[in-house]
DNA sequence: GTCCGCATGTAAGGCGTTACATGATTAA
DNA sequence: TTAATCATGTAACGCCTTACATGCGGAC
């Protein structure tokens, strides 16, 4: 037993990819090693055991070996339980803890969110993301101000880099929300 | 045997802190849990074993238990071998691999660099950092352009966030280099 | 004398890394 | 046939996480 709703970052990436379309371990490795999503593992020693774990939890299942072309592959597809877990994970609220310690997980959630839980929730996510950071940045700033005398110059600059990163994320999230909202309006228009 | 020159991120953080001034595991935990450097562990199960490993490598040594006030502490100080390892790690060239997979290590290196290997090398580091990213961003952009049709909208936006982060880092590095160079000039003037 | 905070630790488990191993298929 | 590529795996190791344990000191 275990299998709570919690997903490691790698499991999230794999489950998200498989949810988009069924694929094999090799396919996933290629995505990780050839696309910029590949700030991930991509090593067989990470991927295949992870697939086993996810399968053991009943979140994916092997759907037929081998293609017509020849070499045996194992293509996995997501199960309904897997989809439920993914949805739950993607629906988690954005907390300060996520902002500070799990930014990578947040971005991954965002990347899959639209297709799994819909545009509406994605927009809410972006707003929560931006406002959590907005609340956090002043704290960092005030720490920086209070420590600026005791900090070595490079320590201060390193902190400024961190703050600049957070501010960039706020700007990005606002822009992204605008674009996605516009996209939603457009597609409503198209449908009508 | 092992103990090559490679330092895990946590080891680097700990060794760097101890190099600045001798301190105990508890001190380090406080730094990690109370300052924004604390996107690190801070849990005893991480810190104390790490201190043991570092000590076993001969990079730090316990320098007297207990303060005058009472409670027994174990204060560590860096050894000459530890300083050599730290210097070697901080002197590594900046590669694309570091940019993509180990940005946290790079920033940590930067934070300690000034005091350990000097202003000159720190400036060289910042320039190399900026130019490695400058060379990488166009690759990301061209990938984005080529994949923009097949990517879901959120996938594209997530990639844009990554690119924006890299560009922010370039700007930051240039500004930081300017400030540090100015600081160097000023202190030369003061000395004269 | 009890309770809380300081300071250090340990044990079990999970997971990623590196490196090696294995078969099967296609191209030369 | 040999080599290269596809596709999947395994074993050893390192290290972090979580959770629990322990002893001492000061405050009331």
């Amino acid at each position: 037993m275990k299998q709570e709703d919690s997903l490691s970052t790698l499991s999230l990436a794999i489950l998200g990819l498989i949810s988009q379309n069924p694929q094999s371990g090799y396919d996933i490795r290629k995505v990780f090693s050839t696309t910029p999503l590949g700030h991930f593992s991509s090593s067989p020693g990470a991927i295949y055991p992870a697939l086993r774990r996810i399968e053991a939890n009943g979140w994916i299942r092997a759907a037929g070996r081998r293609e017509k072309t020849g070499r045996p592959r194992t293509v996995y597809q997501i199960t309904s339980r897997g989809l439920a877990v993914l949805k739950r994970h993607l629906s988690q609220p954005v907390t300060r803890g996520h902002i500070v310690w799990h930014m990578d997980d947040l971005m991954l959630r965002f990347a899959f969110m639209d297709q799994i839980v819909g545009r509406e929730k994605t927009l809410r996510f972006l707003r929560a993301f931006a406002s959590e950071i907005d609340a956090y940045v002043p704290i960092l700033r005030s720490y920086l101000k209070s420590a600026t005398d005791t900090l070595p110059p490079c320590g201060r600059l390193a902190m400024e880099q961190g703050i600049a990163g957070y501010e960039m994320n706020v700007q990005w999230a606002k822009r992204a929300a605008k674009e996605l909202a516009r996209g939603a309006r457009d597609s409503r228009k198209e449908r009508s």
Side-chain angles (χ1 to χ4, degrees), chain A residues 50-69:
Chain A
L51 282 169
R52 294 288 191 73
R53 285 194 300 271
I54 300 171
E55 189 184 23
N57 280 331
W59 299 336
I60 58 176
R61 85 170 142 254
R65 295 177 70 83
R66 110 178 357 269
E67 319 276 271
K68 48 236 105 164
T69 40

Side-chain angles (χ1 to χ4, degrees), chain A residues 13-24 27-28 31 60 73 75-78 112 115-116:
Chain A
I14 292 177
L15 200 53
L17 283 176
I18 290 179
S19 83
Q20 296 193 332
N21 42 34
Q23 51 197 300
S24 69
D27 294 330
I28 291 167
V31 172
I60 58 176
R73 292 151 34 89
V75 175
Y76 292 95
Q77 59 183 214
I78 196 163
F112 296 123
Q115 316 192 341
I116 306 289

Side-chain angles (χ1 to χ4, degrees), chain A residues 1-187:
Chain A
M1 299 302 107
K2 160 106 165 66
Q3 81 146 19
E4 350 233 326
D5 61 345
S6 77
L7 285 169
S8 75
T9 311
L10 180 59
S11 297
L12 172 58
I14 292 177
L15 200 53
L17 283 176
I18 290 179
S19 83
Q20 296 193 332
N21 42 34
Q23 51 197 300
S24 69
Y26 196 73
D27 294 330
I28 291 167
R29 287 187 63 201
K30 264 194 302 200
V31 172
F32 286 170
S33 66
T34 65
T35 76
L37 214 169
H39 100 77
F40 275 89
S41 46
S42 108
S43 82
I47 304 288
Y48 292 108
L51 282 169
R52 294 288 191 73
R53 285 194 300 271
I54 300 171
E55 189 184 23
N57 280 331
W59 299 336
I60 58 176
R61 85 170 142 254
R65 295 177 70 83
R66 110 178 357 269
E67 319 276 271
K68 48 236 105 164
T69 40
R71 309 178 205 83
R73 292 151 34 89
T74 310
V75 175
Y76 292 95
Q77 59 183 214
I78 196 163
T79 64
S80 56
R81 280 173 61 201
L83 197 58
V85 167
L86 188 53
K87 269 185 186 154
R88 200 157 50 239
H89 186 90
L90 296 183
S91 303
Q92 282 176 113
V94 180
T95 66
R96 162 108 22 116
H98 287 120
I99 298 290
V100 176
W101 288 299
H102 301 300
M103 187 60 87
D104 52 348
D105 181 83
L106 285 177
M107 290 312 300
L108 216 42
R109 276 160 66 178
F110 170 76
F112 296 123
M113 194 167 285
D114 199 28
Q115 316 192 341
I116 306 289
V117 297
R119 184 62 50 98
E120 208 60 45
K121 281 197 178 180
T122 305
L123 289 171
R124 270 208 292 281
F125 170 89
L126 284 173
R127 283 190 284 267
F129 178 81
S131 79
E132 273 302 322
I133 299 181
D134 262 337
Y136 184 45
V137 165
I139 296 175
L140 288 178
R141 281 208 183 287
S142 82
Y143 179 89
L144 178 59
K145 201 172 172 188
S146 77
T148 199
D149 306 324
T150 61
L151 238 46
C154 285
R156 177 180 55 79
L157 287 168
M159 268 208 67
E160 284 177 6
Q161 190 263 0
I163 293 174
Y166 283 125
E167 286 175 335
M168 180 278 291
N169 276 318
V170 172
Q171 295 311 310
W172 167 83
K174 288 180 179 167
R175 192 162 36 80
K178 238 176 254 173
E179 280 189 38
L180 288 182
R182 177 147 29 85
R185 269 199 310 283
D186 291 354
S187 58

